[in-house]
Amino acid sequence: AEECLVQAPQYDFNWQRFYAYDVPLNELPVIRPGDELILSCTYNNTLDNPNVADALTKLGLDAPGDVYLGDETLDEMCLAALQVIVIP
């Protein structure tokens, strides 16, 4: 099976709601029967991450805490929603 690795290498912290491809339809990844989709997320919940440090400052905190599922900046948000185009 051929592996197709799709990434957002220039991810921006402010893209919290939606990411869309900006390529023509014929250049989008193709999902075929039997393909497996794997979502993998890596977190940097340290003060070395300027986004974490900034969010902590805004909340009046001085150190990261435990991370739980949620919608806030410091919450775990590894979620995926796919929009699929079916071509007969």
Side-chain angles (χ1 to χ4, degrees):
E2 180 181 330
E3 182 177 324
C4 175
L5 182 61
V6 180
Q7 300 183 58
Q10 299 298 319
Y11 177 79
D12 184 306
F13 182 77
N14 297 307
W15 295 351
Q16 296 296 317
R17 300 286 179 216
F18 186 75
Y19 173 80
Y21 287 98
D22 58 355
V23 297
L25 186 62
N26 65 338
E27 292 181 27
L28 290 171
V30 175
I31 301 171
R32 293 185 170 80
D35 284 354
E36 185 176 288
L37 302 177
I38 299 171
L39 173 64
S40 176
C41 300
T42 303
Y43 297 97
N44 177 355
N45 189 31
T46 69
L47 292 175
D48 293 334
N49 180 336
N51 295 307
V52 170
D54 182 51
L56 288 169
T57 299
K58 288 178 181 175
L59 293 171
L61 303 172
D62 59 4
D66 292 339
V67 177
Y68 300 98
L69 179 64
D71 294 328
E72 299 300 320
T73 300
L74 296 174
D75 293 336
E76 189 271 303
M77 294 183 267
C78 186
L79 305 171
L82 301 176
Q83 183 176 17
V84 178
I85 300 171
V86 177
I87 300 174

